[in-house]
Amino acid sequence: MATKKYTVTLPEELAEEIRREVGSGGFSAYVTKAVERQRERDLLGQLVNRLEEEHGVVTEAELAAAEAERKELEAS
């Protein structure tokens, strides 16, 4: 994948904490992964909104049933 250099502003304490953890060579990779995760969350949120517009909001009972099914699958 092609890359391009951008200038972003981050809180200094946060940036230095990350740099100490990953080293200066890993900083861009760390930020890239963080932005990718946020982009995925944004797209998922858009999908949820669209599906809720089409099918209505998920009820508590539906959430509980899905959670029970997830736990069952996890246990097997």
Side-chain angles (χ1 to χ4, degrees), residues 2-60:
T3 61
K4 184 175 179 181
K5 192 170 192 168
Y6 291 89
T7 300
V8 297
T9 303
L10 300 171
E12 184 175 6
E13 288 180 12
L14 175 61
E16 290 306 317
E17 181 180 328
I18 294 166
R19 189 176 300 279
R20 282 191 301 274
E21 186 175 317
V22 301
S24 60
F27 191 84
S28 289
Y30 185 95
V31 171
T32 297
K33 288 178 184 177
V35 171
E36 287 173 341
R37 280 191 306 272
Q38 184 60 49
R39 184 67 183 139
E40 289 171 357
R41 290 177 59 110
D42 293 346
L43 292 172
L44 182 57
Q46 291 172 14
L47 175 61
V48 168
N49 289 338
R50 190 180 53 158
L51 290 173
E52 286 183 340
E53 286 174 6
E54 290 177 22
H55 304 284
V57 177
V58 177
T59 66
E60 289 296 322

